[in-house]
Amino acid sequence: GVSQFLLASTNSVVGNVGDRVIDEATPLNPLTPYGATKAAAEMLVSAYRGSYDVAACSLRFINVYGPGMANKDSVVARLMRAAQSGSGVQVYGDGFQRRDFVYVTDVAAAVLLAWRRSWAGTLVIGSGHSPSLLEVIDAVRRVTGAPIPVEHVAPRRGEMSVVAVNIG
């Protein structure tokens, strides 16, 4: 009896695409267990869409930030905690890796729009802008006035060099 279903997914389902821009047609190629479980869920959503005529949509959220993120282990949350406590942050690699970030109210609006339109398929939910981590750190320093010392550590396995998305 379910006619509509939305899945909260992630860009991790496509793995490291290098400098290419991620869009809805980017093939699944997860490099982490997290990405693999989300990719499997996307495949189930696709199967239900095809088998049971469910308006099923996989929404690939890209680095969501905003109110309520205090306990997340995302870079923005870690930066805000560091600014508040006066501590520093670790940056994996040189900090030149680029990331798209999307504000939580924009994500909520996208979810509502997908629901209201009974969207079927995949949607990438990002901002379409990918600053480097060093640029994000500088922005947080400017906004908060906190110095936020940075310690560069070895990059993590599966780390993507660029996360740039087409939000068209």
Side-chain angles (χ1 to χ4, degrees):
V2 174
S3 63
Q4 195 171 356
F5 183 83
L6 299 178
L7 170 72
S9 191
T10 173
N11 66 292
S12 295
V13 299
V14 301
N16 192 347
V17 298
D19 291 341
R20 292 185 319 210
V21 174
I22 296 168
D23 64 16
E24 288 79 4
T26 304
L28 299 175
N29 186 29
L31 300 177
T32 64
Y34 175 72
T37 59
K38 289 291 192 173
E42 283 196 19
M43 292 170 63
L44 285 169
V45 166
S46 177
Y48 271 81
R49 187 171 53 250
S51 297
Y52 303 110
D53 198 29
V54 174
C57 180
S58 296
L59 297 154
R60 293 181 183 164
F61 302 143
I62 314 294
N63 296 310
V64 181
Y65 72 97
M69 69 175 190
N71 295 322
K72 284 184 69 177
D73 188 36
S74 66
V75 67
V76 174
R78 285 187 282 127
L79 284 168
M80 299 313 290
R81 284 193 299 269
Q84 188 175 33
S85 69
S87 63
V89 293
Q90 289 185 331
V91 171
Y92 301 105
D94 58 15
F96 288 106
Q97 57 270 46
R98 304 186 85 68
R99 296 289 181 270
D100 189 287
F101 296 91
V102 61
Y103 195 65
V104 68
T105 56
D106 294 328
V107 170
V111 169
L112 287 174
L113 185 60
W115 184 260
R116 288 181 182 139
R117 294 203 177 165
S118 298
W119 192 264
T122 302
L123 287 174
V124 172
I125 311 300
S127 69
H129 178 67
S130 299
S132 73
L133 292 184
L134 295 178
E135 290 171 323
V136 172
I137 292 166
D138 285 342
V140 171
R141 286 173 176 154
R142 277 192 311 277
V143 169
T144 65
I148 310 178
V150 170
E151 175 191 5
H152 291 271
V153 297
R156 295 190 284 192
R157 291 179 60 91
E159 179 92 12
M160 300 165 92
S161 57
V162 176
V163 175
V165 300
N166 177 348
I167 60 170

